[in-house]
Amino acid sequence: MATDLSLRQKLHLEVERAVQRYEVMEHNLKQLFWECTLRCNLSCLHCGSDCKQSAGEKDMPLDNFLKVLDSHPSNINPSDITVITTGGEPLVRPDILECGAQIVKRGFSWGMVSNGLLLSQDRLNALVDTGLTSFAMSFDGFENEHNWMRGNDRSFTYADQAVDYLVNMDNRLVWDLITCVNSRNIGYLEMFKEYLIDKGVKNWRIFTVVPMGRAIDNPELMITDRQYVELMDFIVRTKQENRIHLDYACEGFLGRYEGLARTKYYNCVAGTEVASILNDGSISGCLSIRSNYHQGNIYSHDFWQVWENGFKQYRNRKWMKHGECATCDAWRYCKGGGMHLRNDDGSIISCNYLRIKNGCL
């Protein structure tokens, strides 16, 4: 329960509430995700975008995205914003180096989220030479577990090699690995942690599957509430060891694990610090939000005006206070959880806080 919070946690959360009010008022954009393609060379079981090797929609032309960057108002400093190319798999775009070069030319920082299948040392060198400053790659466990999750028998081999390439770039690139915890790999996390440490990995991020997209009809992707609590305990132990920097993703409010399983206290920054431009031009919050909370489209709306005056559902969460949230003792700090945990009709898909309460019974 929220009442299980220590005095220290409550004090931090009260400070965070004040900070969040200020962030909503200022809504300074810090990360802009560009879904630059819906094509992907993998077929991941949990994909929320339902990407395919040959997507029905063509890649967004680079010039169309650059028009958004070029139209930023004078009070926006591009160096304060990181543009993150994602997809799909951004490395399938033959012009990805040109995309990055043009983003950097305009003063924005450039980051990427990738599955690593197309990454070689030479290609990584070229990306960094072009201006790439941050990189996140999926790595979901040992060979059997990773390949099952990613739907490709070669995926682990290439991802494992990619980790070595990334380790070689430690002095030139900020990067981390992202592991999707599920029923198949949760029993191997301790061993996998040691494997990553031995390879020289310094930064690791963990998340769990939300029942949406392809994951709706696959119970193997889910872990039980009890396992969810065990996962939180594993993260806390690993952070205390201080041998690898591990954080739980920004999925939702964690009750008694706030400030312990993450470096920062919970705050969903979709629509206050983070926005996305989807491949079809739709304007949204973070790309984890697959429900339709779009705020317009770059082909019919000015992105920067939308950012300044839109995103009302993101910045005022009172509409979420119904159903289970109406009487929840965590509402003061949770504010209804992450936007990606809501269906189109506003109903909640999953609640991290309730999972922890149930898992501790």
Side-chain angles (χ1 to χ4, degrees):
M1 298 175 64
T3 51
D4 293 329
L5 295 168
S6 68
L7 177 60
R8 177 179 177 276
Q9 288 173 309
K10 289 180 180 178
L11 290 173
H12 276 284
L13 285 165
E14 289 298 327
V15 171
E16 185 63 33
R17 288 185 76 240
V19 170
Q20 289 175 21
R21 286 195 297 270
Y22 175 79
E23 289 174 344
V24 168
M25 180 178 66
E26 294 293 313
H27 51 266
N28 294 318
L29 183 64
K30 296 181 180 179
Q31 290 184 323
L32 175 59
F33 286 85
W34 177 29
E35 188 181 58
C36 63
T37 181
L38 285 178
R39 292 180 295 132
C40 188
N41 47 9
L42 293 180
S43 183
C44 302
L45 294 177
H46 64 305
C47 181
S49 305
D50 199 25
C51 297
K52 299 176 177 65
Q53 289 190 15
S54 181
E57 292 184 66
K58 294 182 179 180
D59 298 347
M60 177 184 288
L62 172 59
D63 286 346
N64 293 2
F65 180 71
L66 294 180
K67 288 177 182 177
V68 173
L69 301 187
D70 289 337
S71 65
H72 72 80
S74 59
N75 65 321
I76 296 292
N77 184 349
S79 65
D80 293 334
I81 301 172
T82 299
V83 175
I84 302 174
T85 47
T86 183
E89 170 51 50
L91 291 179
V92 304
R93 280 189 70 124
D95 63 344
I96 192 62
L97 287 176
E98 178 64 14
C99 292
Q102 293 300 325
I103 290 168
V104 173
K105 180 181 178 181
R106 286 158 172 77
F108 296 85
S109 296
W110 177 33
M112 181 181 294
V113 179
S114 172
N115 60 42
L117 195 66
L118 294 176
L119 199 66
S120 65
Q121 189 67 70
D122 287 344
R123 195 163 200 194
L124 182 58
N125 289 339
L127 290 167
V128 174
D129 289 343
T130 302
L132 186 73
T133 58
S134 63
F135 191 87
M137 191 188 81
S138 302
F139 201 32
D140 292 317
F142 295 113
E143 187 166 10
N144 288 339
E145 290 72 38
H146 180 87
N147 288 347
W148 168 77
M149 186 67 148
R150 298 292 159 179
N152 187 306
D153 291 340
R154 301 175 301 151
S155 182
F156 175 83
T157 298
Y158 284 99
D160 192 53
Q161 291 174 347
V163 173
D164 295 333
Y165 305 146
L166 289 165
V167 169
N168 291 336
M169 303 297 288
D170 271 347
N171 62 335
R172 300 181 63 194
L173 184 69
V174 176
W175 62 276
D176 70 346
L177 299 182
I178 307 173
T179 297
C180 176
V181 175
N182 54 75
S183 67
R184 289 202 181 190
N185 65 8
I186 191 168
Y188 300 99
L189 287 180
E190 284 285 355
M191 287 188 291
F192 191 56
K193 175 189 71 178
E194 296 300 329
Y195 184 76
L196 296 182
I197 292 172
D198 288 344
K199 286 182 75 70
V201 176
K202 296 178 181 177
N203 298 297
W204 187 21
R205 208 178 339 156
I206 278 177
F207 73 101
T208 51
V209 180
V210 176
M212 59 173 46
R214 295 178 189 167
I216 291 177
D217 299 318
N218 194 336
E220 280 193 283
L221 291 172
M222 309 301 165
I223 59 175
T224 67
D225 291 345
R226 181 60 208 164
Q227 287 174 320
Y228 190 81
V229 171
E230 292 170 356
L231 174 62
M232 294 298 109
D233 290 335
F234 165 77
I235 295 173
V236 172
R237 287 196 309 272
T238 300
K239 291 177 76 67
Q240 291 172 342
E241 291 170 358
N242 200 31
R243 297 164 60 220
I244 185 172
H245 180 83
L246 173 61
D247 263 343
Y248 186 62
C250 53
E251 285 192 23
F253 180 70
L254 300 178
R256 67 182 69 185
Y257 292 100
E258 278 299 321
L260 301 176
R262 277 191 294 252
T263 301
K264 297 181 179 180
Y265 281 76
Y266 172 67
N267 180 13
C268 177
V269 294
T272 59
E273 295 181 5
V274 174
S276 298
I277 296 176
L278 277 59
N279 188 62
D280 66 357
S282 296
I283 301 168
S284 185
C286 81
L287 279 175
S288 294
I289 302 168
R290 305 316 305 186
S291 298
N292 187 3
Y293 290 100
H294 300 340
Q295 301 293 298
N297 192 292
I298 63 168
Y299 296 118
S300 54
H301 301 82
D302 180 279
F303 170 81
W304 300 101
Q305 288 186 9
V306 172
W307 177 255
E308 180 60 29
N309 302 309
F311 288 91
K312 304 300 185 184
Q313 291 168 299
Y314 292 79
R315 297 170 185 172
N316 186 337
R317 305 293 184 90
K318 290 181 179 179
W319 61 272
M320 290 185 176
K321 196 171 184 180
H322 62 85
E324 294 170 304
C325 295
T327 58
C328 181
D329 62 336
W331 173 263
R332 181 175 180 83
Y333 306 125
C334 177
K335 295 290 196 307
M339 285 289 293
H340 71 292
L341 299 177
R342 295 281 166 168
N343 289 308
D344 288 345
D345 62 1
S347 60
I348 193 165
I349 299 172
S350 179
C351 175
N352 305 76
Y353 177 60
L354 285 179
R355 298 195 71 184
I356 290 171
K357 286 178 68 174
N358 294 335
C360 289
L361 294 178

